[in-house]
Amino acid sequence: MTVTITHEGTIAVVTIDNPPVNALSQALRQELMEVVSTLEADATVSAVVLACAGRTFIAGADVNEFGKPPVPPHLPEVVASIENAKKPWIAAIHGSALGGGLEVALGCAYRVAAASASLGLPEVKLGIVPGAGGTVRLPRLIGVPAAVDMITGGSAIGAGKAKGLGLVDAVVERDLLSAAVAFAQEASQRPRPQPLSERSIPMVDDVFWSHTEKAVAAKARGEVAPLRALACIRMASEADFFTATAFERETFLDLRGSVQAAALRHVFFAERAASRPPELAGVAPRDIHSAAVIGGGTMGAGIVAALRDAGLPVVLVERDPAAVERGLANVGQIFEGSVKRGRITADVAAKRMSGVIGTADYGALADTDLVIEAVFEDLTVKRAVFAQLSKACRADAILATNTSYLDPDEIGEGLAQPERFIGLHFFSPAHVMKLLEIVPTGTTSPDVLATGFALARLLGKIPVRAGICDGFIGNRILKVTRVQAERLLLSGATPTAVDGAMRAFGLPMGPFEAQDLGGLDIAAFQRKAARERGEMPFAPVGDRLVSIGRIGQKSNGGWYDYQLDDRRPRPSHTVAAVIAEAAAGRSQQAWDKTAIADAIILPMVNEATRILEEGIALRAVDVDLVKIHGYGFPRWRGGLLHYASVRGLSEIVAVLDRLASKGLADPACDGLRLAARLGRFATPASSVG
Ligand code: 3H9
């Protein structure tokens, strides 16, 4: 039985037990309908507490059902039957009441929540809108502006905030169930509150709607669900309850089958599977109770903060006392920033900082479980660090290098117990960015690899295994992005047009704006290293800009001009002249947004296919996660290779070949041609042990 009924005097306690997250499957909906009827008919029951077993209250509709036709009873009927029951239902919320879970709670007469609970309508994150009255009941309870924030943003709020908004009636510090039963006993003596469906909705004016529509559209960047959700809330505020719920349901069903919803579901399940790769099933990770970071620069400090946020004590090692001070100050600044943004309190920041020990003495690492090196990207410097770590650390301590471009096999050469060595590629700022590329060397043992994935889980990051090559998965594709962006400049497009097209595609910023923000010097340094290796990286304009000192915002100019204290990019005459010089003699053409996006994105698909062919990425979905969590690729497109599959692999081959015939891209690789024939990407994942 998924639903059980117990009795506490005249109070019936309905407990849902549908692991892992009490999702509202068809069977559960059916049982709930039956339970409502049973309890309505039971004269000994005066009120009902709805509680859940396990880690959470109902976390929503069962997302697994979304790819299939809806089967009755539908959730709106379940919510209506609870709301229309003669006896008051009290939702006892622990964990998360999300989506359909919160909609069920809104059908209840009251909501009592554990202090640690969170409540939200995250449907837009799955490309849909609430489909069981959420957009119609929530504004009636907490007002339109607060409902707009919750529904179009999709983020959950804590029980305390929910109480302030009137979304929950009581917050309980401990023993939720007893408190909910006591609440129900009292509630059964009072007249029932008016059901939300019968309440009026506070009015807001047209200015509110036009202002909010603009704000939601700007934030959505091509994602359709937030604006459709807003339209539902507007309908709720302007039409009667039944018209509004019908409109909401129609919108829900329309979006449920949409391309964006399918893409977002693909990402939803990919993210949850990421930390448990099938090839590591049954491999136990090592215990990590303490960590150290070597190097307190931007990356090192970010990693320290990420480890502290996850509760690990951290030793920060730097070269000398002055560098230790600077490193600690960098970490301190990160926590201060979190306090300023309201993410943590000053007390929490102080506690996190007090868990960081700064030292220049490697002897402090004698009993550390995990050491992450994050010093300058120089092979000699990194090797020197690992020589010291070899002597200072326990033989079973895991030693990791955080490198973006160097070869971890070379960094770890000569290390004692090389099976404990691994690459962990964090993305900057490391305490914020979700992606962690995990790079095993030829000698890394499976349990050390599994520990990398366990660490990612602990840090709340999305881990992706990457093989060794220049740039691993993400930066290797990034190089293609940049090459294509420059090719476009040499054939008639401007930096403004390229960046605008990529924003229109859904990226938070275009390749040139991004380079100005991060600095052109880093990539120039990598190109220099590549030339020393005998390679011929292509960046005629970028190289020229760096040679004349235009390295981005930090030099007040890069691909764009900037004014003092104004970070808005302005087209630059200097850059236009450099482009014109580099483009001399090349044929020029007009580029629209779609053609620009194709000329950048499709060669990235080509490179990603090579990455799969070489086994650098094990699965197409891994590339998707890398692009979404490391590079801002629009989530609602499902990631680079999901987008490619939806777009059509044969069409991509044709476009690439057209671009290649004009010298504007590499031709489609064999792997992509094969994928086009098969209708899917062939991956080596199955052969990896
Ligand atoms: C909705 O409700 C629409 C309505 O308006 C309907 C109208 C008609 N369904 O995240 P975890 C699985 S839309 C099916 O690692 P945590 C998940 O795949 C829905 N399965 O746990 C994983 O499976 P596995 C709105 C689900 O403790 C396992 O549960 N609701 C669902 O870190 C554990 O997941 C949401 O969007 C689901 N709804 O976090 C809530 N949810 O172990 C989405 C989870 O086999 N869920 N699973 O890989 C969450 O945010 C988190 O799961 C939660 C727990 C915070 C609840």
Side-chain angles (χ1 to χ4, degrees):
M1 273 295 269
T2 313
V3 184
T4 49
I5 304 172
T6 52
H7 295 270
E8 304 257 344
T10 65
I11 308 302
V13 178
V14 172
T15 305
I16 296 173
D17 188 3
N18 189 25
V21 295
N22 294 311
L24 289 154
S25 61
Q26 190 278 337
L28 175 57
R29 297 195 300 272
Q30 182 73 51
E31 276 193 70
L32 276 174
M33 290 295 277
E34 284 159 18
V35 162
V36 176
S37 312
T38 306
L39 293 175
E40 281 294 273
D42 187 340
T44 66
V45 171
S46 62
V48 182
V49 169
L50 176 65
C52 287
R55 63 174 122 167
T56 182
F57 190 74
I58 305 166
D62 188 339
V63 179
N64 295 298
E65 288 181 2
F66 283 178
K68 307 164 196 155
V71 181
H74 305 299
L75 194 58
E77 294 155 34
V78 180
V79 175
S81 72
I82 292 175
E83 186 176 60
N84 296 332
K86 290 196 291 297
K87 296 159 190 181
W89 280 55
I90 292 91
I93 299 167
H94 78 289
S96 309
L98 297 177
L102 182 56
E103 290 173 305
V104 168
L106 288 169
C108 293
Y110 301 98
R111 287 147 296 278
V112 175
S116 57
S118 58
L119 300 90
L121 291 172
E123 282 85 345
V124 292
K125 295 187 174 174
L126 289 166
I128 53 175
V129 299
T135 65
V136 190
R137 287 193 179 86
L138 190 64
R140 287 175 154 75
L141 186 61
I142 67 173
V144 171
V148 164
D149 278 353
M150 279 185 75
I151 296 170
T152 64
S155 297
I157 57 171
K161 185 164 179 197
K163 173 84 168 58
L165 288 173
L167 177 54
V168 302
D169 301 283
V171 176
V172 178
E173 290 297 336
R174 58 178 73 90
D175 201 354
L176 174 66
L177 195 58
S178 313
V181 169
F183 189 100
Q185 266 152 359
E186 217 185 287
S188 64
Q189 312 295 316
R190 288 184 251 137
R192 282 197 51 186
Q194 194 182 23
L196 289 175
S197 58
E198 289 170 18
R199 293 191 206 175
S200 62
I201 192 159
M203 288 298 288
V204 283
D205 57 20
D206 283 351
V207 179
F208 171 85
W209 290 115
S210 57
H211 174 82
T212 310
E213 262 156 30
K214 273 197 205 108
V216 171
K219 221 170 140 205
R221 282 203 296 259
E223 197 169 344
V224 299
L227 274 173
R228 300 285 297 271
L230 187 66
C232 291
I233 306 169
R234 184 165 191 173
M235 181 63 89
S237 84
E238 291 172 353
D240 63 76
F241 179 84
F242 293 100
T243 309
T245 40
F247 181 77
E248 179 200 73
R249 185 77 187 160
E250 195 184 315
T251 309
F252 166 77
L253 290 174
D254 180 32
L255 291 180
R256 187 181 183 271
S258 68
V259 171
Q260 288 198 5
L264 287 163
R265 279 200 301 279
H266 162 76
V267 180
F268 175 89
F269 287 116
E271 286 172 344
R272 278 159 181 84
S275 62
R276 289 176 279 123
E279 60 277 5
L280 288 175
V283 181
R286 295 189 188 181
D287 285 339
I288 301 291
H289 298 295
S290 58
V293 176
I294 317 296
T298 308
M299 186 52 97
I303 298 172
V304 171
L307 293 163
R308 284 299 300 135
D309 289 348
L312 286 172
V314 183
V315 178
L316 170 59
V317 181
E318 260 292 359
R319 251 168 305 143
D320 52 51
V324 171
E325 282 313 307
R326 277 198 302 276
L328 289 174
N330 288 342
V331 179
Q333 263 175 18
I334 292 176
F335 291 136
E336 277 162 33
S338 300
V339 173
K340 272 199 205 115
R341 282 183 203 95
R343 289 210 191 106
I344 52 174
T345 63
D347 272 0
V348 170
K351 253 191 220 126
R352 298 220 174 139
M353 203 56 215
S354 70
V356 187
I357 295 170
T359 179
D361 176 11
Y362 277 75
L365 308 181
D367 198 31
T368 304
D369 296 328
L370 165 73
V371 183
I372 302 172
E373 163 278 311
V375 302
F376 189 62
E377 286 276 66
D378 179 291
L379 189 60
T380 319
V381 178
K382 286 190 186 271
R383 275 190 175 160
V385 167
F386 283 100
Q388 301 213 55
L389 291 175
S390 261
K391 287 187 225 136
C393 298
R394 276 193 339 252
D396 65 340
I398 293 182
L399 305 182
T401 177
N402 173 73
T403 180
S404 306
Y405 285 96
L406 296 176
D407 180 343
D409 268 327
E410 289 182 21
I411 296 172
E413 221 173 73
L415 192 71
Q417 290 89 30
E419 69 284 354
R420 62 183 168 150
F421 180 70
I422 191 165
L424 293 178
H425 181 207
F426 286 85
F427 287 71
S428 192
H431 59 294
V432 176
M433 295 294 284
K434 287 263 178 233
L435 179 63
L436 181 64
E437 280 182 330
I438 298 188
V439 189
T441 67
T443 54
T444 305
S445 68
D447 65 327
V448 169
L449 182 55
T451 312
F453 282 84
L455 176 74
R457 216 167 24 244
L458 182 70
L459 303 186
K461 301 213 178 285
I462 303 289
V464 173
R465 174 177 172 159
I468 296 177
C469 65
D470 191 17
F472 309 128
I473 301 174
N475 282 342
R476 180 165 156 184
I477 298 174
L478 178 64
K479 268 197 285 179
V480 173
T481 314
R482 289 184 173 161
V483 165
Q484 288 307 116
E486 287 218 19
R487 277 180 166 154
L488 281 162
L489 296 186
L490 301 190
S491 58
T494 61
T496 309
V498 171
D499 285 340
M502 296 315 284
R503 280 177 185 271
F505 183 81
L507 278 124
M509 62 177 83
F512 297 117
E513 297 161 310
Q515 286 182 62
D516 272 1
L517 190 65
L520 276 67
D521 46 341
I522 304 163
F525 176 77
Q526 282 147 11
R527 288 195 297 271
K528 184 166 164 276
R531 284 191 186 107
E532 283 164 10
R533 292 195 300 267
E535 295 166 26
M536 293 197 308
F538 176 83
V541 184
D543 280 336
R544 178 86 185 106
L545 295 186
V546 173
S547 76
I548 58 174
R550 294 187 65 101
I551 58 168
Q553 289 192 13
K554 55 188 165 192
S555 69
N556 266 332
W559 292 100
Y560 296 97
D561 287 341
Y562 297 91
Q563 288 178 356
L564 223 57
D565 298 327
D566 183 355
R567 301 291 82 186
R568 264 175 307 175
R570 290 157 206 273
S572 158
H573 292 303
T574 312
V575 173
V578 172
I579 294 170
E581 201 185 322
R586 291 178 184 251
S587 74
Q588 305 288 296
Q589 69 174 81
W591 290 95
D592 64 18
K593 281 193 168 82
T594 312
I596 289 175
D598 273 359
I600 292 186
I601 300 288
L602 305 190
M604 288 161 61
V605 171
N606 205 21
E607 187 67 13
T609 312
R610 288 194 194 102
I611 285 173
L612 280 177
E613 274 184 296
E614 293 167 25
I616 298 297
L618 297 189
R619 288 165 271 268
V621 68
D622 286 354
V623 174
D624 292 338
L625 290 175
V626 165
K627 291 304 299 172
I628 290 169
H629 288 289
Y631 301 84
F633 196 90
R635 212 182 151 77
W636 55 269
R637 291 201 187 265
L640 182 64
L641 294 185
H642 180 87
Y643 166 74
S645 300
V646 171
R647 172 74 186 269
L649 300 177
S650 301
E651 190 197 330
I652 292 178
V653 168
V655 177
L656 279 174
D657 286 349
R658 263 203 311 278
L659 286 168
S661 71
K662 296 187 207 161
L664 292 173
D666 286 355
C669 65
D670 290 345
L672 191 52
R673 289 179 201 281
L674 174 67
R677 278 199 302 279
L678 293 174
R680 64 177 171 80
F681 291 99
T683 69
S686 49
S687 64
V688 177

